[in-house]
Amino acid sequence: MSIQKKLNLKGKKVALIQGGIGPEKEISWKTSQCVEKVLKTLPCSYFVAEADSTLFQQLKNEKPDLAFLAVHGIYGEDGTVQALCELLQIPYTGSGILASALCMDKLFFKNLLLKNKIATPDFKAVHSSQKTSSIKNYPVIVKASHGGSTLGTYIVQNPEELPDALKKAKNIGRYVFIEEYIPQGTEIAVSYLNGRILTPVEIVPKSGFYDYNHKYNIGQTDYILPPRLDPLTVEKMKVISEKVISLTNVRGYARLDFIVKKNTPWLLEVNTLPGLTETSLLPKSAEKEGLSFSQVIEMILSVATLDYPSAINKKS
């Protein structure tokens, strides 16, 4: 069990870990830039560290008191950087190793949802030796199991498009699956911050679907808070979110992505290190709750911790 002791930032040295070697490094840099603006105003010192092959030595040399993980996707959000921080006994923001790895692997995560009777769109794992001729109902969605920011995600309209989508998805990750497409569903993001479920956001892309372009380019998407849904459906999503957060041991902050149709919420995935940029969803939900961006960053930092409490106790 991780400890939830709140850390006093006064006089602390923070490692702002960004970028890395994964495909989402550019988004990570954007998150890092936004976080850095806040760090400059806090009673702590900080340095920026790149999450690449030099990270271990950077952390060992600088000896930070804690780390803010401004990383996304593989080699950052998947437990890799978390494990390094555990090894060096540096408390870090966000979830621990197991929760990070579990939520990053969409196939494993969806199987966990099924076993716990939590609705998620139907899916089929695709292996290199497995034929896809059994797929009859189109469109479908092809996803890389470890993809993020909709990288490795493709809407396939017919069987002729499927091989190319599978090939592209496999360039993102080794494991690929085909997911049921829920037409005319409402996309909803439910954010979690320090034990609190925030106001959900309804996501309305101005064209197409909520892909990389719509997520990170200002003006491409409309965001509606609270969502235009039946209040009971919104409450149901919050209850599901609390259950999944407890089930996976997610901590600190996260974002859960749903698709809703006919008042039925289907959980797609959990992001354990969601974006913190100008267009990111968690800050929008927090603002609706009266929390400024600076307050969000301070709250995230305040509960930086390790999976193993003994390490923090030794340093206290």
Side-chain angles (χ1 to χ4, degrees):
M1 178 183 293
S2 65
I3 66 172
Q4 296 298 314
K5 174 183 176 183
K6 290 193 176 182
L7 299 174
N8 182 359
L9 295 176
K10 188 174 182 179
K12 299 289 186 183
K13 180 192 269 190
V14 178
L16 177 57
I17 302 178
Q18 66 170 21
I21 58 176
E24 294 180 67
K25 59 186 176 184
E26 291 186 7
I27 301 307
S28 169
W29 291 331
K30 289 184 179 182
T31 285
S32 180
Q33 290 169 2
C34 294
V35 173
E36 186 174 9
K37 291 177 184 177
V38 178
L39 289 177
K40 289 178 179 179
T41 69
L42 299 179
C44 61
S45 62
Y46 75 93
F47 65 96
V48 179
E50 195 69 19
D52 55 21
S53 59
T54 67
L55 182 58
F56 178 86
Q57 199 58 50
Q58 289 181 75
L59 296 178
K60 195 172 180 182
N61 291 343
E62 292 283 352
K63 298 180 173 57
D65 296 294
L66 61 151
F68 194 107
L69 305 189
V71 285
H72 305 306
I74 57 173
Y75 302 115
E77 194 172 349
D78 58 358
T80 305
V81 173
Q82 291 81 357
L84 179 57
C85 289
E86 292 284 346
L87 182 64
L88 295 173
Q89 298 187 357
I90 302 168
Y92 54 92
T93 56
S95 295
I97 299 171
L98 179 59
S100 300
L102 170 61
C103 294
M104 190 68 200
D105 188 327
K106 294 183 180 68
L107 265 176
F108 199 99
F109 176 72
K110 283 171 76 71
N111 278 308
L112 182 68
L113 294 180
L114 291 182
K115 289 180 180 179
N116 287 274
K117 296 180 172 56
I118 298 169
T120 188
D122 195 17
F123 63 99
K124 179 184 182 66
V126 178
H127 305 292
S128 58
S129 60
Q130 188 176 31
K131 293 183 178 180
T132 57
S133 58
S134 61
I135 305 298
K136 302 298 183 184
N137 297 319
Y138 285 83
V140 295
I141 301 178
V142 169
K143 290 184 177 181
S145 187
H146 289 81
S149 296
T150 61
L151 295 172
T153 298
Y154 306 94
I155 295 181
V156 177
Q157 300 292 341
N158 54 62
E160 289 71 30
E161 295 178 1
L162 187 57
D164 185 55
L166 291 172
K167 182 179 178 181
K168 289 178 179 177
K170 286 177 181 177
N171 288 333
I172 299 291
R174 179 179 176 186
Y175 302 104
V176 173
F177 64 99
I178 298 172
E179 186 177 69
E180 173 191 9
Y181 177 71
I182 299 178
Q184 298 178 329
T186 302
E187 295 184 67
I188 303 290
V190 179
S191 293
Y192 166 81
L193 178 63
N194 289 17
R196 180 177 174 184
I197 300 294
L198 304 178
T199 302
V201 182
E202 180 180 346
I203 302 159
V204 186
K206 292 187 176 178
S207 63
F209 79 109
Y210 193 49
D211 59 7
Y212 188 93
N213 174 57
H214 289 86
K215 285 184 176 183
Y216 301 114
N217 290 309
I218 295 173
Q220 296 298 309
T221 302
D222 291 326
Y223 303 98
I224 301 170
L225 296 89
R228 297 168 297 181
L229 294 173
D230 177 78
L232 291 177
T233 303
V234 174
E235 187 60 31
K236 186 175 182 180
M237 280 191 296
K238 290 181 178 181
V239 170
I240 292 171
S241 298
E242 289 174 343
K243 180 177 179 179
V244 171
I245 287 163
S246 176
L247 183 67
T248 56
N249 282 330
V250 163
R251 66 176 182 236
Y253 69 117
R255 193 190 74 239
L256 299 90
D257 295 338
F258 289 85
I259 190 85
V260 179
K261 187 172 183 181
K262 294 181 180 179
N263 294 329
T264 298
W266 305 78
L267 180 57
L268 302 175
E269 62 180 293
V270 175
N271 297 270
T272 53
L273 290 178
L276 298 170
T277 70
E278 297 92 336
T279 60
S280 295
L281 301 170
L282 188 148
K284 293 182 188 298
S285 289
E287 184 179 13
K288 185 68 176 179
E289 304 274 334
L291 297 170
S292 68
F293 186 79
S294 294
Q295 288 175 310
V296 169
I297 300 306
E298 290 184 64
M299 290 174 69
I300 291 170
L301 276 166
S302 73
V303 291
T305 189
L306 290 163
D307 278 340
Y308 304 104
S310 59
I312 295 179
N313 292 336
K314 287 177 183 177
K315 297 176 79 172
S316 298

